[in-house]
Amino acid sequence: MLAPAMSVRPSLGHGVGLRLTHYDRILAPGADGSDGSLAGDLGVELVEVVTENFFGPGGTVPGGRPRAVLERVRAQVPVALHGVSLGVGSVDPPPEEYLRALRTVVDWIEPAIVSDHLCWGSVGGHYAHDLLPLPYREDAIAVAVDNVGRAQDALGRRILLENVSSYAAIGGGTMPEWEFLMEVARRADCLVLLDINNIVVNAKNHGFDALDYLAGVDGDRVWQFHLAGHTDRGAYKFDDHVGPVPDEVWSLYEAAVARFGEVASIVEWDQEVPPWEVLRAQAERARDLAAALVGGEA
Amino acid sequence: MSQRLRDEQALFWRAISWPTGVDDFLARTDDATREAFGRMVTGDARLPGPRRMTIYAESYFYRLADVLREQYRVLAWIIGPVRFHDLATDFVWQRPSHSPDVRRFGEALPDFLAGHPLEARHPGLGELARVERAIVTAIDRPDSARGPVERSALQAVEAERWPGLRLRLADHVEVLTTRRSYPLAFAAWRDDAPSPDPIPPVPEDGPFHVLVWRTRLEVFHRALVPAQAAALRALAAGRTFEAMCDAAVELDPSLDPATLVRWLGTWIDDGLFHALEA
Ligand SMILES: [Fe+2]
C-alpha cells in the first residue's frame, strides 16, 4: 500500500492538455528580454502534459524552451503528467532508464497526477509509439499488475491507468474491458484515468453499451477523466482527438459525474489544435456540467 | 511470463510494421502464422480482422512519418512529399524506434540517408539532415548552471590577462561542418512554397561551417567562415584566447586583432559562453 494520505480523491478541477502550439501563449515575449514573461492567467485549474516530451537528453531535466514552459505552467496550476510509453502490458518490463527518466520529471515538477495507459507498446526493444490492445485475460492482467508495481515502486507513489481506444479484440478474452481495467487497478493498487471518449469509441467498435461500462467501474479509484473528440468512419470510430468534445461524449460524462461525483477532467485536442481560449471553454463546460450535477459552486 | 502473450505481441508487431501492409503480410506469411493471426484478431462481418489490424498499421506508419516530417522540414520540402513518403517507408521499416521517447525516432536518419539511393542521386541530403537534426535537438539540451557571460565581464579583464583568457562554450553550442553549402537549402525553404522540381544539384565546394546555438527559448543557426569555425573549435577544446587567435590566423593570415575581438563580442551577445576564466 502506498501513501495512505493520498487515498481520498483530491479536488483538482478541470483543465486541458497542453500542446506545442500553446507554447507561445505561455512564453509571450516579455520586457525581461529573452526570458519572456508569464502571458497572463492560463484560466484553467489543471494542465496535462505528455511526460516524455519533458525527458531531457540522457534522462536529465530538459533545458531551453520545454523547461521554461513547464516551469511557468507549474508555477500557476497543478500539473498532470501523462505518459504514453510506459506500456504496462508489454511483456518486456519498462526499461530501468525509462523509469529513471520518469522519476526525474516527477521529482522536478511534483505533479498532482502521474498517469499512463493500460496497453502495450513495445516488443523486443522496438517501440510502436501507439497504444496497442491487450487481451482481456488473466495472463495480461498479471503482466500489467507487475509492471504497474515496478512503476509505482520507482516513483514511490500511485499512478493512474487509462482505458484506451481499440479497434481489435485480442483473442481468447474472458471478461469485458471494464472488468479487466478494474482488476488490474485493484490488484496493482493503482488509480484510474477514465477516458470517456474512449468508452464511446469502444462501445461502437466492440458493440457494448457505454453505460454498462460505467456500471462496472469502481468510482473510488477514478481520479481523472479525459474528454475528447473522435471521427466516425462508418464501420468504426477512430480516436483522433480532433474537434470539440461531441455531444455523445458530454452525455456520457454527465452520466459518469452522476455516478462517481465530481472528478478532475482534462480535454484532449490533438489535431488542428485550436487557440487556448477555445480549449479553455471546453474545460469550463466540463466544470459547469459537473457543478450543475453535484451542486458545487461553479 | 506468458509465452502466449509474448507470441501475440511479436505477431502483432510484425503485422503492423510490414512495409506493404497487413493484407500483403498475411498473403506472404505461412499457414501457421495466418492461423495464429486469425486466433489473435477476431473481427466480424462489419470489420474483419485484417481491416482492424490495418487501422493499427496505418496509425503506426503515419505517426512516425509525421515525426520525421516535423524534424526534417527542409529535407521534406526539398525532396517533395512523394520521395519523402518513400524515404519514411524505408526508414520506418529498417530503423524501427528503440526509444520510449518518440522525439528520438529520427535521430538515425542522417546516417541512414548516407546509404540510401536518394543520397546517391542527390548528394548532400544527409548533410542537410544532420544540420536540421542539430537544430531540432538544441531546443531542450540542459541549461547551463551559470551564464551566459556578458560583455561587461569581458571588458573587466585586464589587458595582460587576455592571452590566457578561457571562455567555456555552453552545452547547446554546436559547430558542424558540411561539404556542401547547407544555407542554400535553408535560404530557399519556405513553408508555403512548392518543392523545387527537379531537386537542384548542390556542388561539393566546401567545407562549410554552421553554428547552432540557442537562447533560453529559441534556436538559431548561422554560417561561419572557416577561421571562425576554427576559433570556436579551439574554445570548445578548452584552449585560451591566444590559442584561439592562432587557430584563426592560421587559416586566414589577413585577420587583425580587432576582427577577432569583434567576433568574440558577437558570440558573447549570442550567449554562447557560460563561463569566463581570466
Ligand atoms: Fe485519453
Side-chain angles (χ1 to χ4, degrees):
Chain A
M1 277 302 216
L2 290 153
M6 283 176 53
S7 61
V8 176
R9 184 201 295 158
S11 166
L12 292 168
H14 304 271
V16 303
L18 184 76
R19 300 295 178 256
L20 220 57
T21 42
H22 303 131
Y23 280 21
D24 286 341
R25 169 79 170 64
I26 289 156
L27 299 168
D32 54 346
S34 64
D35 206 24
S37 74
L38 197 63
D41 189 6
L42 292 172
V44 293
E45 298 162 323
L46 180 66
V47 166
E48 186 177 81
V49 299
V50 174
T51 313
E52 290 84 357
N53 287 352
F54 298 91
F55 280 6
T60 58
V61 168
R65 199 171 158 87
R67 177 181 184 150
V69 165
L70 194 48
E71 287 183 345
R72 271 148 209 251
V73 169
R74 181 65 186 87
Q76 268 197 38
V77 289
V79 165
L81 280 183
H82 187 48
V84 293
S85 289
L86 179 60
V88 298
S90 301
V91 285
D92 303 318
E96 284 301 321
E97 66 191 87
Y98 178 85
L99 295 176
R100 264 199 304 277
L102 180 58
R103 175 77 195 229
T104 298
V105 182
V106 167
D107 287 348
W108 162 44
I109 287 304
E110 298 178 337
I113 283 173
V114 180
S115 64
D116 208 298
H117 302 83
L118 181 53
C119 66
W120 70 283
S122 69
V123 63
H126 295 147
Y127 285 80
H129 301 290
D130 199 356
L131 310 171
L132 304 177
L134 288 165
Y136 305 139
R137 295 191 314 245
E138 182 57 38
D139 57 343
I141 292 176
V143 166
V145 168
D146 243 35
N147 288 334
V148 171
R150 283 188 176 89
Q152 295 192 142
D153 289 348
L155 299 177
R157 63 187 286 166
R158 290 202 287 181
I159 64 169
L160 279 65
L161 271 193
E162 177 180 354
N163 58 304
V164 297
S165 289
S166 70
Y167 310 100
I170 303 301
T174 58
M175 63 194 89
E177 183 192 334
W178 51 90
E179 212 174 297
F180 179 73
L181 171 68
M182 293 320 300
E183 195 55 22
V184 171
R186 199 176 53 75
R187 281 199 231 167
D189 189 26
C190 70
L191 302 160
V192 170
L193 192 182
L194 201 61
D195 188 312
I196 304 293
N197 175 54
N198 292 352
I199 297 177
V200 170
V201 166
N202 285 2
K204 163 135 186 177
N205 294 353
H206 304 294
F208 60 76
D209 186 333
L211 292 175
D212 287 345
Y213 199 120
L214 291 188
V217 167
D218 168 11
D220 288 346
R221 291 199 182 268
V222 179
W223 277 26
Q224 190 192 336
F225 290 144
H226 266 174
L227 297 162
H230 58 260
T231 300
D232 196 322
R233 292 184 175 172
Y236 65 97
K237 288 190 170 190
F238 188 67
D239 179 26
D240 49 11
H241 295 178
V242 69
V245 177
D247 288 346
E248 201 181 350
V249 174
W250 284 124
S251 303
L252 192 62
Y253 170 69
E254 288 183 290
V257 173
R259 189 168 190 100
F260 307 134
E262 183 164 9
V263 171
S265 76
I266 289 290
V267 174
E268 304 180 282
W269 193 326
D270 286 304
Q271 316 276 333
E272 300 154 35
V273 180
W276 184 261
E277 286 65 28
V278 175
L279 214 47
R280 189 175 63 192
Q282 297 272 293
E284 283 163 3
R285 180 157 178 201
R287 185 196 60 196
D288 294 346
L289 286 175
L293 280 162
V294 301
E297 65 274 36
Chain B
M1 189 51 62
S2 165
Q3 188 59 43
R4 180 180 180 188
L5 193 58
R6 183 176 291 281
D7 292 345
E8 283 169 342
Q9 293 184 353
L11 175 55
F12 198 110
W13 168 262
R14 285 173 66 202
I16 62 167
S17 63
W18 192 255
T20 45
V22 174
D23 289 333
D24 188 57
F25 168 74
L26 290 172
R28 286 165 186 261
T29 194
D30 53 74
D31 286 341
T33 305
R34 264 190 297 277
E35 279 160 29
F37 182 92
R39 282 192 302 275
M40 177 176 72
V41 182
T42 39
D44 48 29
R46 185 182 52 141
L47 208 54
R51 253 196 85 195
R52 289 176 181 264
M53 190 60 98
T54 297
I55 300 169
Y56 284 104
E58 288 179 351
S59 292
Y60 170 70
F61 173 75
Y62 284 106
R63 175 171 294 108
L64 293 179
D66 282 350
V67 168
L68 294 179
R69 197 175 300 106
E70 274 302 305
Q71 293 183 348
Y72 298 99
R73 295 170 72 181
V74 181
L75 174 71
W77 175 76
I78 290 265
I79 67 178
V82 175
R83 287 189 199 90
F84 194 80
H85 179 96
D86 292 346
L87 175 65
T89 304
D90 293 344
F91 186 73
V92 168
W93 167 238
Q94 292 176 45
R95 301 285 179 94
S97 170
H98 287 278
S99 170
D101 182 356
V102 75
R103 294 170 309 162
R104 289 186 55 193
F105 171 61
E107 68 191 2
L109 190 69
D111 286 343
F112 181 76
L113 261 171
H116 194 274
L118 203 54
E119 172 75 24
R121 284 199 298 275
H122 308 283
L125 294 177
E127 287 187 339
L128 169 65
R130 193 152 53 82
V131 175
E132 284 207 271
R133 183 79 201 163
I135 292 168
V136 165
T137 56
I139 193 67
D140 71 342
R141 297 216 184 113
D143 292 330
S144 299
R146 297 170 294 169
V149 172
E150 309 266 346
R151 262 180 195 254
S152 57
L154 197 63
Q155 282 152 1
V157 176
E158 297 146 36
E160 66 270 23
R161 288 188 176 273
W162 269 75
L165 180 70
R166 283 173 213 275
L167 283 151
R168 305 289 182 193
L169 283 168
D171 283 346
H172 53 77
V173 178
E174 203 173 343
V175 177
L176 296 103
T177 297
T178 62
R179 285 174 296 145
R180 291 177 170 76
S181 177
Y182 94 92
L184 286 178
F186 278 82
W189 173 59
R190 283 212 351 259
D191 240 346
D192 54 348
S195 295
D197 186 27
I199 299 174
V202 186
E204 183 177 345
D205 53 0
F208 296 93
H209 307 278
V210 50
L211 169 67
V212 177
W213 79 101
R214 69 163 164 78
T215 59
R216 185 103 197 269
L217 303 178
E218 251 185 293
V219 175
F220 300 90
H221 58 99
R222 177 197 297 146
L224 298 170
V225 299
Q228 288 174 323
L232 280 169
R233 288 208 165 99
L235 294 178
R239 297 167 69 193
T240 61
F241 177 71
E242 189 172 34
M244 179 202 99
C245 293
D246 290 347
V249 170
E250 201 182 312
L251 284 177
D252 182 359
S254 72
L255 281 173
D256 56 27
T259 304
L260 285 158
V261 171
R262 191 159 45 77
W263 288 355
L264 204 57
T266 305
W267 294 335
I268 284 191
D269 292 345
D270 290 335
L272 300 195
F273 306 109
H274 72 89
L276 176 153
E277 292 149 26

